Amino acid sequence: MKATAKAHTNIALIKYWGKRNDSLILPTNNSLSLTLDGFYTETTVDFQDSLTEDSFFLNKEKINGIAYERVTLFLDLIRKIADKPNLFATVHSTNHVPTAAGFASSASGFAALAAAGSKAIGLQLADHELSRLTRQGSGSACRSIYGGFAEWQQGTLEDGSDSYAVPIAEQNFWDVRVAAIVLSAKEKKVSSREGMKRTVDTSPFFKGWVDSIPADLREIKQGIEARDFEKVGAVAEANCLKMHATTLGAAPPFTYWNDITVSVMQTVQKLREEGIPAYFTIDAGPNVKVLYLPENEDKIVNTFRHLPGVTDVIVSKPGRGVTYTTEDE
Ligand code: ADP
Ligand code: DP6
């Protein structure tokens, strides 16, 4: 019982930042993302009656510890839905995510695992059911089921059954680009999981963040529908700044930015003053992602390649949703 699936990572334009239920991974706000073609994970899950436990190989290396635990706990969810509690699997996964780019591999990783695992065990899930399952591996991963723009609807039910992502606009709807600006500095990292928890528990700015989401969502959806790049970019950049502002109010306070992060942000603002529409967004790390239109690609790549402290610039187009390899059937 074997299946292989491929899933791309996604970048949030309206951020998921805060949980209302840590174990079910239920968020405090809706979020909205663009799936990216440049970064993906391919995962094969092979369930076999003869196995007595799961094993997990990432980029050909056998994984133990927390990363293994997260995978096997996730397979438990799949076994539970399929009512096959004693069926174990061998999982082989490859992350096609540039090394040290700080690009969240958990999103493409859990989306590919959910898709391959559920198919291998014989489940036939609708997209929203697959998204709901994926959410329980890593929240942001539930948006990677779809290509193009997707919205994770937080839902209101306590059991999380109405918390999953839905498609907003498909991959080919609009050719906007995202450049990942990779920085040389290696910061000690507060994971997104830990950072959002500390913020929810201690930051007085958290309420302001949550209250600001409905208006941002309304505006960005209007912007996407109208293919209004300035509107989408401006809302995404402001939303990112609000998310990062909450971390400064946490106890103890923290920030994901370093000096080069700030320099990239200032360069983006300078580009706009020169008439190039470009906007930034930043996740739980120092690297910056820059949104731009295809006609400005050369200018964007050249500008950031030459900025001190930048080691690489990796460009992405909108990516596709989850796909399956058929040879396994
Ligand atoms: P963060 O901790 O900020 O979420 P990442 O998004 O890079 O950082 O997540 C890294 C974690 O995601 C890994 O420690 C591992 O648990 C999980 N992960 C990454 N790639 C995969 C994969 N291909 N399959 C399953 N889990 C993965
Ligand atoms: C800043 O999805 O990594 O990237 O649900 O705890 O696994 P868990 O967190 P995760 O958080 C992502 C946070 C973010 C914003 C976003 O992607 O929406």
mmCIF file with all atom_site columns, all heavy atoms in Angstrom, residues 10 12 14-17 19 25 31 70 106 137-141 143 192-193 196 243 283-284, ligand 2:
data_model
loop_
_atom_site.group_PDB
_atom_site.id
_atom_site.type_symbol
_atom_site.label_atom_id
_atom_site.label_alt_id
_atom_site.label_comp_id
_atom_site.label_asym_id
_atom_site.label_entity_id
_atom_site.label_seq_id
_atom_site.pdbx_PDB_ins_code
_atom_site.Cartn_x
_atom_site.Cartn_y
_atom_site.Cartn_z
_atom_site.occupancy
_atom_site.B_iso_or_equiv
_atom_site.pdbx_formal_charge
_atom_site.auth_seq_id
_atom_site.auth_comp_id
_atom_site.auth_asym_id
_atom_site.auth_atom_id
_atom_site.pdbx_PDB_model_num
ATOM   1   N N   . ASN A 1 10  ? 4.275  27.364 0.717  1.00 0.00 ? 10  ASN A N   1
ATOM   2   C CA  . ASN A 1 10  ? 3.474  28.561 0.446  1.00 0.00 ? 10  ASN A CA  1
ATOM   3   C C   . ASN A 1 10  ? 3.982  29.713 1.297  1.00 0.00 ? 10  ASN A C   1
ATOM   4   O O   . ASN A 1 10  ? 4.597  29.495 2.344  1.00 0.00 ? 10  ASN A O   1
ATOM   5   C CB  . ASN A 1 10  ? 1.982  28.291 0.704  1.00 0.00 ? 10  ASN A CB  1
ATOM   6   C CG  . ASN A 1 10  ? 1.661  28.114 2.174  1.00 0.00 ? 10  ASN A CG  1
ATOM   7   O OD1 . ASN A 1 10  ? 1.540  29.097 2.930  1.00 0.00 ? 10  ASN A OD1 1
ATOM   8   N ND2 . ASN A 1 10  ? 1.537  26.859 2.623  1.00 0.00 ? 10  ASN A ND2 1
ATOM   9   N N   . ALA A 1 12  ? 2.691  33.131 3.316  1.00 0.00 ? 12  ALA A N   1
ATOM   10  C CA  . ALA A 1 12  ? 1.478  33.804 3.785  1.00 0.00 ? 12  ALA A CA  1
ATOM   11  C C   . ALA A 1 12  ? 1.549  35.300 3.495  1.00 0.00 ? 12  ALA A C   1
ATOM   12  O O   . ALA A 1 12  ? 2.548  35.955 3.803  1.00 0.00 ? 12  ALA A O   1
ATOM   13  C CB  . ALA A 1 12  ? 1.303  33.571 5.279  1.00 0.00 ? 12  ALA A CB  1
ATOM   14  N N   . ILE A 1 14  ? -1.363 37.155 4.348  1.00 0.00 ? 14  ILE A N   1
ATOM   15  C CA  . ILE A 1 14  ? -1.992 37.471 5.634  1.00 0.00 ? 14  ILE A CA  1
ATOM   16  C C   . ILE A 1 14  ? -1.571 36.319 6.543  1.00 0.00 ? 14  ILE A C   1
ATOM   17  O O   . ILE A 1 14  ? -1.871 35.159 6.269  1.00 0.00 ? 14  ILE A O   1
ATOM   18  C CB  . ILE A 1 14  ? -3.543 37.508 5.529  1.00 0.00 ? 14  ILE A CB  1
ATOM   19  C CG1 . ILE A 1 14  ? -4.001 38.511 4.453  1.00 0.00 ? 14  ILE A CG1 1
ATOM   20  C CG2 . ILE A 1 14  ? -4.170 37.826 6.892  1.00 0.00 ? 14  ILE A CG2 1
ATOM   21  C CD1 . ILE A 1 14  ? -3.694 39.959 4.720  1.00 0.00 ? 14  ILE A CD1 1
ATOM   22  N N   . LYS A 1 15  ? -0.857 36.639 7.608  1.00 0.00 ? 15  LYS A N   1
ATOM   23  C CA  . LYS A 1 15  ? -0.165 35.610 8.391  1.00 0.00 ? 15  LYS A CA  1
ATOM   24  C C   . LYS A 1 15  ? -1.080 34.870 9.361  1.00 0.00 ? 15  LYS A C   1
ATOM   25  O O   . LYS A 1 15  ? -2.008 35.462 9.930  1.00 0.00 ? 15  LYS A O   1
ATOM   26  C CB  . LYS A 1 15  ? 0.958  36.235 9.235  1.00 0.00 ? 15  LYS A CB  1
ATOM   27  C CG  . LYS A 1 15  ? 1.990  37.032 8.461  1.00 0.00 ? 15  LYS A CG  1
ATOM   28  C CD  . LYS A 1 15  ? 2.850  36.163 7.592  1.00 0.00 ? 15  LYS A CD  1
ATOM   29  C CE  . LYS A 1 15  ? 3.901  36.994 6.869  1.00 0.00 ? 15  LYS A CE  1
ATOM   30  N NZ  . LYS A 1 15  ? 4.569  36.206 5.815  1.00 0.00 ? 15  LYS A NZ  1
ATOM   31  N N   . TYR A 1 16  ? -0.745 33.601 9.537  1.00 0.00 ? 16  TYR A N   1
ATOM   32  C CA  . TYR A 1 16  ? -1.274 32.797 10.651 1.00 0.00 ? 16  TYR A CA  1
ATOM   33  C C   . TYR A 1 16  ? -0.321 33.047 11.810 1.00 0.00 ? 16  TYR A C   1
ATOM   34  O O   . TYR A 1 16  ? 0.863  32.736 11.718 1.00 0.00 ? 16  TYR A O   1
ATOM   35  C CB  . TYR A 1 16  ? -1.290 31.341 10.188 1.00 0.00 ? 16  TYR A CB  1
ATOM   36  C CG  . TYR A 1 16  ? -1.066 30.258 11.208 1.00 0.00 ? 16  TYR A CG  1
ATOM   37  C CD1 . TYR A 1 16  ? -1.775 30.216 12.412 1.00 0.00 ? 16  TYR A CD1 1
ATOM   38  C CD2 . TYR A 1 16  ? -0.161 29.229 10.929 1.00 0.00 ? 16  TYR A CD2 1
ATOM   39  C CE1 . TYR A 1 16  ? -1.555 29.172 13.312 1.00 0.00 ? 16  TYR A CE1 1
ATOM   40  C CE2 . TYR A 1 16  ? 0.052  28.186 11.817 1.00 0.00 ? 16  TYR A CE2 1
ATOM   41  C CZ  . TYR A 1 16  ? -0.642 28.171 13.009 1.00 0.00 ? 16  TYR A CZ  1
ATOM   42  O OH  . TYR A 1 16  ? -0.429 27.143 13.897 1.00 0.00 ? 16  TYR A OH  1
ATOM   43  N N   . TRP A 1 17  ? -0.806 33.642 12.863 1.00 0.00 ? 17  TRP A N   1
ATOM   44  C CA  . TRP A 1 17  ? 0.087  33.950 13.998 1.00 0.00 ? 17  TRP A CA  1
ATOM   45  C C   . TRP A 1 17  ? -0.728 33.881 15.282 1.00 0.00 ? 17  TRP A C   1
ATOM   46  O O   . TRP A 1 17  ? -1.317 34.867 15.696 1.00 0.00 ? 17  TRP A O   1
ATOM   47  C CB  . TRP A 1 17  ? 0.757  35.330 13.796 1.00 0.00 ? 17  TRP A CB  1
ATOM   48  C CG  . TRP A 1 17  ? 1.917  35.558 14.732 1.00 0.00 ? 17  TRP A CG  1
ATOM   49  C CD1 . TRP A 1 17  ? 2.013  36.494 15.727 1.00 0.00 ? 17  TRP A CD1 1
ATOM   50  C CD2 . TRP A 1 17  ? 3.149  34.821 14.765 1.00 0.00 ? 17  TRP A CD2 1
ATOM   51  N NE1 . TRP A 1 17  ? 3.220  36.379 16.374 1.00 0.00 ? 17  TRP A NE1 1
ATOM   52  C CE2 . TRP A 1 17  ? 3.940  35.361 15.805 1.00 0.00 ? 17  TRP A CE2 1
ATOM   53  C CE3 . TRP A 1 17  ? 3.662  33.738 14.026 1.00 0.00 ? 17  TRP A CE3 1
ATOM   54  C CZ2 . TRP A 1 17  ? 5.205  34.876 16.112 1.00 0.00 ? 17  TRP A CZ2 1
ATOM   55  C CZ3 . TRP A 1 17  ? 4.928  33.254 14.339 1.00 0.00 ? 17  TRP A CZ3 1
ATOM   56  C CH2 . TRP A 1 17  ? 5.674  33.824 15.363 1.00 0.00 ? 17  TRP A CH2 1
ATOM   57  N N   . LYS A 1 19  ? -2.471 30.509 18.083 1.00 0.00 ? 19  LYS A N   1
ATOM   58  C CA  . LYS A 1 19  ? -3.388 29.350 18.128 1.00 0.00 ? 19  LYS A CA  1
ATOM   59  C C   . LYS A 1 19  ? -4.411 29.552 19.241 1.00 0.00 ? 19  LYS A C   1
ATOM   60  O O   . LYS A 1 19  ? -4.077 30.073 20.301 1.00 0.00 ? 19  LYS A O   1
ATOM   61  C CB  . LYS A 1 19  ? -2.608 28.074 18.422 1.00 0.00 ? 19  LYS A CB  1
ATOM   62  C CG  . LYS A 1 19  ? -1.650 27.632 17.332 1.00 0.00 ? 19  LYS A CG  1
ATOM   63  C CD  . LYS A 1 19  ? -1.021 26.300 17.721 1.00 0.00 ? 19  LYS A CD  1
ATOM   64  C CE  . LYS A 1 19  ? -0.020 25.780 16.699 1.00 0.00 ? 19  LYS A CE  1
ATOM   65  N NZ  . LYS A 1 19  ? 1.243  26.548 16.640 1.00 0.00 ? 19  LYS A NZ  1
ATOM   66  N N   . ILE A 1 25  ? -4.160 22.344 16.678 1.00 0.00 ? 25  ILE A N   1
ATOM   67  C CA  . ILE A 1 25  ? -3.671 23.385 15.760 1.00 0.00 ? 25  ILE A CA  1
ATOM   68  C C   . ILE A 1 25  ? -4.854 24.141 15.141 1.00 0.00 ? 25  ILE A C   1
ATOM   69  O O   . ILE A 1 25  ? -5.147 24.054 13.944 1.00 0.00 ? 25  ILE A O   1
ATOM   70  C CB  . ILE A 1 25  ? -2.687 22.838 14.691 1.00 0.00 ? 25  ILE A CB  1
ATOM   71  C CG1 . ILE A 1 25  ? -1.583 22.004 15.370 1.00 0.00 ? 25  ILE A CG1 1
ATOM   72  C CG2 . ILE A 1 25  ? -2.102 23.970 13.853 1.00 0.00 ? 25  ILE A CG2 1
ATOM   73  C CD1 . ILE A 1 25  ? -0.349 21.725 14.535 1.00 0.00 ? 25  ILE A CD1 1
ATOM   74  N N   . SER A 1 31  ? -5.929 33.059 7.540  1.00 0.00 ? 31  SER A N   1
ATOM   75  C CA  . SER A 1 31  ? -4.707 33.498 6.870  1.00 0.00 ? 31  SER A CA  1
ATOM   76  C C   . SER A 1 31  ? -4.852 33.244 5.376  1.00 0.00 ? 31  SER A C   1
ATOM   77  O O   . SER A 1 31  ? -5.745 32.488 4.954  1.00 0.00 ? 31  SER A O   1
ATOM   78  C CB  . SER A 1 31  ? -3.486 32.770 7.441  1.00 0.00 ? 31  SER A CB  1
ATOM   79  O OG  . SER A 1 31  ? -3.671 31.363 7.408  1.00 0.00 ? 31  SER A OG  1
ATOM   80  N N   . ARG A 1 70  ? 6.975  13.747 15.155 1.00 0.00 ? 70  ARG A N   1
ATOM   81  C CA  . ARG A 1 70  ? 5.917  14.519 14.472 1.00 0.00 ? 70  ARG A CA  1
ATOM   82  C C   . ARG A 1 70  ? 5.329  13.708 13.321 1.00 0.00 ? 70  ARG A C   1
ATOM   83  O O   . ARG A 1 70  ? 4.122  13.733 13.084 1.00 0.00 ? 70  ARG A O   1
ATOM   84  C CB  . ARG A 1 70  ? 6.472  15.854 13.939 1.00 0.00 ? 70  ARG A CB  1
ATOM   85  C CG  . ARG A 1 70  ? 6.508  16.940 14.997 1.00 0.00 ? 70  ARG A CG  1
ATOM   86  C CD  . ARG A 1 70  ? 7.033  18.252 14.462 1.00 0.00 ? 70  ARG A CD  1
ATOM   87  N NE  . ARG A 1 70  ? 6.051  19.023 13.712 1.00 0.00 ? 70  ARG A NE  1
ATOM   88  C CZ  . ARG A 1 70  ? 6.258  20.264 13.271 1.00 0.00 ? 70  ARG A CZ  1
ATOM   89  N NH1 . ARG A 1 70  ? 7.404  20.868 13.497 1.00 0.00 ? 70  ARG A NH1 1
ATOM   90  N NH2 . ARG A 1 70  ? 5.320  20.900 12.596 1.00 0.00 ? 70  ARG A NH2 1
ATOM   91  N N   . SER A 1 106 ? 8.293  22.683 6.574  1.00 0.00 ? 106 SER A N   1
ATOM   92  C CA  . SER A 1 106 ? 7.211  21.954 7.244  1.00 0.00 ? 106 SER A CA  1
ATOM   93  C C   . SER A 1 106 ? 5.905  22.049 6.440  1.00 0.00 ? 106 SER A C   1
ATOM   94  O O   . SER A 1 106 ? 5.115  21.112 6.458  1.00 0.00 ? 106 SER A O   1
ATOM   95  C CB  . SER A 1 106 ? 6.997  22.453 8.675  1.00 0.00 ? 106 SER A CB  1
ATOM   96  O OG  . SER A 1 106 ? 6.731  23.818 8.690  1.00 0.00 ? 106 SER A OG  1
ATOM   97  N N   . GLY A 1 137 ? -0.701 18.517 11.207 1.00 0.00 ? 137 GLY A N   1
ATOM   98  C CA  . GLY A 1 137 ? 0.753  18.303 11.171 1.00 0.00 ? 137 GLY A CA  1
ATOM   99  C C   . GLY A 1 137 ? 1.479  19.621 11.390 1.00 0.00 ? 137 GLY A C   1
ATOM   100 O O   . GLY A 1 137 ? 2.362  19.750 12.231 1.00 0.00 ? 137 GLY A O   1
ATOM   101 N N   . SER A 1 138 ? 1.097  20.627 10.623 1.00 0.00 ? 138 SER A N   1
ATOM   102 C CA  . SER A 1 138 ? 1.617  21.986 10.779 1.00 0.00 ? 138 SER A CA  1
ATOM   103 C C   . SER A 1 138 ? 0.574  22.918 10.175 1.00 0.00 ? 138 SER A C   1
ATOM   104 O O   . SER A 1 138 ? 0.124  22.697 9.048  1.00 0.00 ? 138 SER A O   1
ATOM   105 C CB  . SER A 1 138 ? 2.955  22.121 10.051 1.00 0.00 ? 138 SER A CB  1
ATOM   106 O OG  . SER A 1 138 ? 3.426  23.451 10.172 1.00 0.00 ? 138 SER A OG  1
ATOM   107 N N   . GLY A 1 139 ? 0.199  23.957 10.925 1.00 0.00 ? 139 GLY A N   1
ATOM   108 C CA  . GLY A 1 139 ? -0.922 24.803 10.513 1.00 0.00 ? 139 GLY A CA  1
ATOM   109 C C   . GLY A 1 139 ? -0.773 25.351 9.104  1.00 0.00 ? 139 GLY A C   1
ATOM   110 O O   . GLY A 1 139 ? -1.657 25.162 8.247  1.00 0.00 ? 139 GLY A O   1
ATOM   111 N N   . SER A 1 140 ? 0.354  25.995 8.829  1.00 0.00 ? 140 SER A N   1
ATOM   112 C CA  . SER A 1 140 ? 0.517  26.654 7.526  1.00 0.00 ? 140 SER A CA  1
ATOM   113 C C   . SER A 1 140 ? 0.465  25.642 6.376  1.00 0.00 ? 140 SER A C   1
ATOM   114 O O   . SER A 1 140 ? 0.178  26.009 5.232  1.00 0.00 ? 140 SER A O   1
ATOM   115 C CB  . SER A 1 140 ? 1.828  27.434 7.491  1.00 0.00 ? 140 SER A CB  1
ATOM   116 O OG  . SER A 1 140 ? 2.914  26.587 7.809  1.00 0.00 ? 140 SER A OG  1
ATOM   117 N N   . ALA A 1 141 ? 0.749  24.367 6.663  1.00 0.00 ? 141 ALA A N   1
ATOM   118 C CA  . ALA A 1 141 ? 0.752  23.338 5.624  1.00 0.00 ? 141 ALA A CA  1
ATOM   119 C C   . ALA A 1 141 ? -0.629 23.119 5.008  1.00 0.00 ? 141 ALA A C   1
ATOM   120 O O   . ALA A 1 141 ? -0.737 22.693 3.853  1.00 0.00 ? 141 ALA A O   1
ATOM   121 C CB  . ALA A 1 141 ? 1.276  22.021 6.202  1.00 0.00 ? 141 ALA A CB  1
ATOM   122 N N   . ARG A 1 143 ? -2.605 25.102 3.806  1.00 0.00 ? 143 ARG A N   1
ATOM   123 C CA  . ARG A 1 143 ? -2.834 25.945 2.623  1.00 0.00 ? 143 ARG A CA  1
ATOM   124 C C   . ARG A 1 143 ? -2.121 25.390 1.395  1.00 0.00 ? 143 ARG A C   1
ATOM   125 O O   . ARG A 1 143 ? -2.417 25.793 0.268  1.00 0.00 ? 143 ARG A O   1
ATOM   126 C CB  . ARG A 1 143 ? -2.352 27.379 2.919  1.00 0.00 ? 143 ARG A CB  1
ATOM   127 C CG  . ARG A 1 143 ? -3.064 28.041 4.120  1.00 0.00 ? 143 ARG A CG  1
ATOM   128 C CD  . ARG A 1 143 ? -2.576 29.469 4.335  1.00 0.00 ? 143 ARG A CD  1
ATOM   129 N NE  . ARG A 1 143 ? -1.143 29.529 4.461  1.00 0.00 ? 143 ARG A NE  1
ATOM   130 C CZ  . ARG A 1 143 ? -0.471 29.999 5.517  1.00 0.00 ? 143 ARG A CZ  1
ATOM   131 N NH1 . ARG A 1 143 ? -1.113 30.504 6.562  1.00 0.00 ? 143 ARG A NH1 1
ATOM   132 N NH2 . ARG A 1 143 ? 0.840  30.000 5.541  1.00 0.00 ? 143 ARG A NH2 1
ATOM   133 N N   . SER A 1 192 ? 8.553  28.992 14.795 1.00 0.00 ? 192 SER A N   1
ATOM   134 C CA  . SER A 1 192 ? 7.258  29.660 14.656 1.00 0.00 ? 192 SER A CA  1
ATOM   135 C C   . SER A 1 192 ? 6.292  29.172 15.741 1.00 0.00 ? 192 SER A C   1
ATOM   136 O O   . SER A 1 192 ? 5.517  29.957 16.297 1.00 0.00 ? 192 SER A O   1
ATOM   137 C CB  . SER A 1 192 ? 6.683  29.438 13.261 1.00 0.00 ? 192 SER A CB  1
ATOM   138 O OG  . SER A 1 192 ? 6.897  28.130 12.828 1.00 0.00 ? 192 SER A OG  1
ATOM   139 N N   . ARG A 1 193 ? 6.388  27.886 16.061 1.00 0.00 ? 193 ARG A N   1
ATOM   140 C CA  . ARG A 1 193 ? 5.480  27.314 17.064 1.00 0.00 ? 193 ARG A CA  1
ATOM   141 C C   . ARG A 1 193 ? 5.685  27.988 18.426 1.00 0.00 ? 193 ARG A C   1
ATOM   142 O O   . ARG A 1 193 ? 4.738  28.432 19.072 1.00 0.00 ? 193 ARG A O   1
ATOM   143 C CB  . ARG A 1 193 ? 5.723  25.799 17.161 1.00 0.00 ? 193 ARG A CB  1
ATOM   144 C CG  . ARG A 1 193 ? 4.626  25.060 17.835 1.00 0.00 ? 193 ARG A CG  1
ATOM   145 C CD  . ARG A 1 193 ? 4.635  23.591 17.479 1.00 0.00 ? 193 ARG A CD  1
ATOM   146 N NE  . ARG A 1 193 ? 4.009  23.314 16.194 1.00 0.00 ? 193 ARG A NE  1
ATOM   147 C CZ  . ARG A 1 193 ? 3.644  22.096 15.784 1.00 0.00 ? 193 ARG A CZ  1
ATOM   148 N NH1 . ARG A 1 193 ? 3.866  21.053 16.561 1.00 0.00 ? 193 ARG A NH1 1
ATOM   149 N NH2 . ARG A 1 193 ? 3.080  21.921 14.609 1.00 0.00 ? 193 ARG A NH2 1
ATOM   150 N N   . MET A 1 196 ? 4.886  31.981 18.280 1.00 0.00 ? 196 MET A N   1
ATOM   151 C CA  . MET A 1 196 ? 3.469  32.401 18.309 1.00 0.00 ? 196 MET A CA  1
ATOM   152 C C   . MET A 1 196 ? 2.848  32.113 19.673 1.00 0.00 ? 196 MET A C   1
ATOM   153 O O   . MET A 1 196 ? 2.007  32.852 20.149 1.00 0.00 ? 196 MET A O   1
ATOM   154 C CB  . MET A 1 196 ? 2.678  31.853 17.122 1.00 0.00 ? 196 MET A CB  1
ATOM   155 C CG  . MET A 1 196 ? 2.314  30.429 17.122 1.00 0.00 ? 196 MET A CG  1
ATOM   156 S SD  . MET A 1 196 ? 1.210  30.064 15.707 1.00 0.00 ? 196 MET A SD  1
ATOM   157 C CE  . MET A 1 196 ? 2.372  29.828 14.376 1.00 0.00 ? 196 MET A CE  1
ATOM   158 N N   . MET A 1 243 ? 2.323  41.605 12.352 1.00 0.00 ? 243 MET A N   1
ATOM   159 C CA  . MET A 1 243 ? 2.676  40.329 12.989 1.00 0.00 ? 243 MET A CA  1
ATOM   160 C C   . MET A 1 243 ? 3.988  40.459 13.746 1.00 0.00 ? 243 MET A C   1
ATOM   161 O O   . MET A 1 243 ? 4.103  40.053 14.908 1.00 0.00 ? 243 MET A O   1
ATOM   162 C CB  . MET A 1 243 ? 2.791  39.227 11.935 1.00 0.00 ? 243 MET A CB  1
ATOM   163 C CG  . MET A 1 243 ? 3.264  37.907 12.506 1.00 0.00 ? 243 MET A CG  1
ATOM   164 S SD  . MET A 1 243 ? 4.067  36.834 11.282 1.00 0.00 ? 243 MET A SD  1
ATOM   165 C CE  . MET A 1 243 ? 5.603  36.456 12.108 1.00 0.00 ? 243 MET A CE  1
ATOM   166 N N   . ASP A 1 283 ? 8.613  35.719 7.373  1.00 0.00 ? 283 ASP A N   1
ATOM   167 C CA  . ASP A 1 283 ? 8.046  34.744 8.315  1.00 0.00 ? 283 ASP A CA  1
ATOM   168 C C   . ASP A 1 283 ? 8.899  34.665 9.581  1.00 0.00 ? 283 ASP A C   1
ATOM   169 O O   . ASP A 1 283 ? 9.570  35.625 9.912  1.00 0.00 ? 283 ASP A O   1
ATOM   170 C CB  . ASP A 1 283 ? 7.878  33.391 7.622  1.00 0.00 ? 283 ASP A CB  1
ATOM   171 C CG  . ASP A 1 283 ? 6.657  33.391 6.709  1.00 0.00 ? 283 ASP A CG  1
ATOM   172 O OD1 . ASP A 1 283 ? 5.710  34.138 6.996  1.00 0.00 ? 283 ASP A OD1 1
ATOM   173 O OD2 . ASP A 1 283 ? 6.657  32.656 5.720  1.00 0.00 ? 283 ASP A OD2 1
ATOM   174 N N   . ALA A 1 284 ? 8.897  33.507 10.230 1.00 0.00 ? 284 ALA A N   1
ATOM   175 C CA  . ALA A 1 284 ? 9.565  33.390 11.526 1.00 0.00 ? 284 ALA A CA  1
ATOM   176 C C   . ALA A 1 284 ? 11.063 33.143 11.350 1.00 0.00 ? 284 ALA A C   1
ATOM   177 O O   . ALA A 1 284 ? 11.598 32.111 11.759 1.00 0.00 ? 284 ALA A O   1
ATOM   178 C CB  . ALA A 1 284 ? 8.906  32.274 12.325 1.00 0.00 ? 284 ALA A CB  1
HETATM 179 C C1  . DP6 B 2 .   ? 5.048  32.987 10.424 1.00 0.00 ? 2   DP6 B C1  1
HETATM 180 O O1  . DP6 B 2 .   ? 2.668  26.546 10.430 1.00 0.00 ? 2   DP6 B O1  1
HETATM 181 O O2  . DP6 B 2 .   ? 5.097  26.616 11.162 1.00 0.00 ? 2   DP6 B O2  1
HETATM 182 O O3  . DP6 B 2 .   ? 5.070  31.259 8.796  1.00 0.00 ? 2   DP6 B O3  1
HETATM 183 O O4  . DP6 B 2 .   ? 1.166  25.250 13.157 1.00 0.00 ? 2   DP6 B O4  1
HETATM 184 O O5  . DP6 B 2 .   ? 2.901  25.360 14.926 1.00 0.00 ? 2   DP6 B O5  1
HETATM 185 O O6  . DP6 B 2 .   ? 3.381  24.115 12.815 1.00 0.00 ? 2   DP6 B O6  1
HETATM 186 P P1  . DP6 B 2 .   ? 2.636  25.272 13.463 1.00 0.00 ? 2   DP6 B P1  1
HETATM 187 O O7  . DP6 B 2 .   ? 3.249  26.623 12.883 1.00 0.00 ? 2   DP6 B O7  1
HETATM 188 P P2  . DP6 B 2 .   ? 3.670  27.020 11.395 1.00 0.00 ? 2   DP6 B P2  1
HETATM 189 O O8  . DP6 B 2 .   ? 3.596  28.625 11.501 1.00 0.00 ? 2   DP6 B O8  1
HETATM 190 C C2  . DP6 B 2 .   ? 3.753  29.455 10.390 1.00 0.00 ? 2   DP6 B C2  1
HETATM 191 C C3  . DP6 B 2 .   ? 3.844  30.875 10.839 1.00 0.00 ? 2   DP6 B C3  1
HETATM 192 C C4  . DP6 B 2 .   ? 4.253  31.858 9.761  1.00 0.00 ? 2   DP6 B C4  1
HETATM 193 C C5  . DP6 B 2 .   ? 3.004  32.499 9.125  1.00 0.00 ? 2   DP6 B C5  1
HETATM 194 C C6  . DP6 B 2 .   ? 2.241  31.661 8.125  1.00 0.00 ? 2   DP6 B C6  1
HETATM 195 O O9  . DP6 B 2 .   ? 2.805  30.821 7.419  1.00 0.00 ? 2   DP6 B O9  1
HETATM 196 O O10 . DP6 B 2 .   ? 1.023  31.913 8.018  1.00 0.00 ? 2   DP6 B O10 1
#
